[in-house]
Amino acid sequence: MFMSLHESELHKLIDCIVTSHYDDCLDCESCARELDCLAERVAMGAKINDLLPEVATHLCCCRDCFEEFEALVAILRAENSGQLDAIG
Amino acid sequence: MLERNFFIPMTDRSNEQWLAELTGAPDAQARALEDLRHRLQRGIFYYLSRERSDLTHLSGQELGQMAEDLAQDATLRVIDNLDSFRGDSRFTTWATKIAVRLAISDLRRSRYKDFSLDGLTAEGEVLPASTGDTFPANTAPTPENATERADVMLKIERALREALTERQYQALSAVALQDVPLEIVAERLGTNRNALYKLLHDARRKLRQSLEAQGLTTDYMLKLFEE
C-alpha cells in the first residue's frame, strides 16, 4: 500500500496533522481583518508572533491566507524602500 | 489647469482625506480614484513581475495589462467596501490588501480552472497513486523498517477511512496532498473558504486523534519515514 504513495505526499499528510491545533482557531475572515495592520508592522521588521500569535497560528495552517499575507508584506516593503516609485 | 500626471507625484493623503475625497465632490473624487487605481496598479505590477515565478513567461507588457485590469477591478471593490475600513492601518495598505486578494484569487482560478474533485474519493484506494519513484534512493526503506512503514501506512489508511467524512476526505486530499488552494476547493464544494477552513481544521484534528488512538504520534511517523 505505502508503495503507491509519494514520500512528499506522506510528508504533506503528516505535516498537515502536525500543524493542526486543538484549540479554537481563528478563521480566514478573522485573519483577513487583521492582515493589513499586521503586514504594515511586519514590513517594518516586527515579528508576527510578538504581535498577534493567533493570526500567526492561522497563517501556519492556511496556505491561502499566508500567500496573501506574504504578497502584501512584499508590496509594502517595496513601497517603503522606494522600489514602487521606480515602476512609475 | 495643470495635467495631474505631468509634474505632480501621487498625493500622500491621510486616511481621513482618502475617505473624504473618495466620497466627496466629483472633481476630488475623480482625482482620488485615479490616484488609488494607479497606486494599486503599481503594487500589483510589482507583485506579478517580482514575486510570481509562475508568471516569468509573460512579457512586461502582458503583466502591465494584467495589473491594469486587476487594479481597475480592485478599485471598484475598494469603493464598494469603504464602510468596512476600520482605520487600523493606512488606507492604502487596506486597499492593497483587497487588491492582493483579488489578484491572487484571479491567478488561482486561472491556474485551477480545470481542477475537479470528482476523482478524490475514499472509496477504493484511499491515498493517491504515484506516477514516479515512490521513494528517492537515499530514503528507500530498508528491509528492517519496510514492514513497520507498511503497518503505519495501513493505520493511516484506516484513520482516513474511519475518522473522516467523504467531504472531509476530499477537502483534505485536495488541499493537503495536491496543494490546491482552499479558495478553489471551497468553490468546487459549493462552500466558502471560511467554512472549508473549519471543515479542514476538524478533519485534521480527527485524523490526529485517530492516529494517536492507534499509538501513532506525529514525531514517531516523521522519524520513521525520514529514516
Side-chain angles (χ1 to χ4, degrees):
Chain A
M1 171 61 200
F2 73 88
M3 289 306 288
S4 69
L5 182 70
H6 274 302
E7 188 185 21
S8 61
E9 291 167 338
L10 176 67
H11 278 276
K12 284 176 184 173
L13 189 64
I14 296 173
D15 282 346
C16 92
I17 300 167
V18 171
T19 55
S20 64
H21 39 96
Y22 282 98
D23 51 325
D24 286 336
C25 59
L26 204 68
D27 58 28
C28 296
E29 278 180 22
S30 306
C31 176
R33 275 196 291 274
E34 309 296 338
L35 279 197
D36 45 338
C37 185
L38 187 63
E40 274 185 355
R41 296 184 188 189
V42 170
M44 297 296 286
K47 304 285 183 198
I48 310 175
N49 270 315
D50 296 340
L51 300 169
L52 291 170
E54 65 275 25
V55 176
T57 302
H58 178 85
L59 293 176
C60 283
C61 296
C62 182
R63 274 198 311 269
D64 285 30
C65 288
F66 184 69
E67 183 179 25
E68 290 158 18
F69 174 71
E70 271 197 321
L72 183 56
V73 170
I75 293 170
L76 293 178
R77 283 186 176 143
E79 187 175 38
N80 294 344
S81 65
Q83 290 182 73
L84 294 192
D85 293 334
I87 292 173
Chain B
M1 189 172 171
L2 228 98
E3 286 281 336
R4 265 197 64 73
N5 291 330
F6 195 54
F7 288 119
I8 301 175
M10 245 184 319
T11 318
D12 267 337
R13 298 171 172 85
S14 68
N15 287 353
E16 292 72 23
Q17 285 172 317
W18 273 113
L19 292 175
E21 292 184 28
L22 286 170
T23 56
D27 281 358
Q29 186 185 46
R31 280 196 299 274
L33 277 171
E34 177 53 21
D35 282 351
L36 178 62
R37 190 201 59 74
H38 182 55
R39 195 164 193 134
L40 296 180
Q41 186 175 332
R42 272 192 338 180
I44 293 170
F45 181 77
Y46 173 85
Y47 174 66
L48 299 179
S49 59
R50 310 284 173 84
E51 301 286 328
R52 296 290 301 214
S53 58
D54 57 327
L55 299 179
T56 51
H57 62 288
L58 296 178
S59 67
Q61 191 175 3
E62 288 170 316
L63 292 172
Q65 187 60 54
M66 274 178 77
E68 188 177 334
D69 294 343
L70 288 165
Q72 188 68 38
D73 292 345
T75 303
L76 294 174
R77 189 169 293 186
V78 168
I79 299 307
D80 285 345
N81 287 280
L82 276 183
D83 289 347
S84 65
F85 176 58
R86 300 185 305 184
D88 296 338
S89 66
R90 283 180 292 159
F91 175 78
T92 49
T93 302
W94 175 78
T96 303
K97 175 180 74 172
I98 291 174
V100 159
R101 186 160 189 171
L102 187 140
I104 291 178
S105 287
D106 205 63
L107 293 168
R108 285 175 185 147
R109 290 199 179 93
S110 172
R111 183 173 180 183
Y112 289 94
K113 62 180 186 298
D114 298 323
F115 173 76
S116 167
L117 288 168
D118 291 346
L120 303 177
T121 169
E123 295 301 317
E125 191 173 35
V126 173
L127 294 167
S130 68
T131 52
D133 293 338
T134 305
F135 290 101
N138 62 342
T139 58
T142 61
E144 290 74 27
N145 72 7
T147 306
E148 192 177 357
R149 287 188 182 191
D151 181 55
V152 169
M153 287 307 305
L154 285 172
K155 288 179 176 174
I156 292 174
E157 180 185 350
R158 186 189 306 157
L160 284 166
R161 278 188 199 284
E162 296 176 0
L164 305 184
T165 65
E166 183 75 18
R167 195 173 171 84
Q168 285 176 325
Y169 174 79
Q170 283 187 315
L172 193 71
S173 181
V175 173
L177 300 185
Q178 298 191 23
D179 295 330
V180 182
L182 269 77
E183 186 173 18
I184 302 299
V185 178
E187 283 179 0
R188 301 299 190 274
L189 285 172
T191 184
N192 60 52
R193 187 162 129 189
N194 219 32
L196 178 62
Y197 181 79
K198 288 176 181 171
L199 180 140
L200 282 169
H201 180 65
D202 288 343
R204 295 156 86 168
R205 195 159 51 178
K206 282 165 69 179
L207 194 56
R208 183 172 178 165
Q209 287 169 339
S210 175
L211 291 169
E212 286 176 352
Q214 296 182 72
L216 299 179
T217 64
T218 48
D219 285 346
Y220 164 73
M221 289 188 290
L222 283 172
K223 192 176 176 190
L224 177 65
F225 288 95
E226 276 172 2
E227 281 175 359

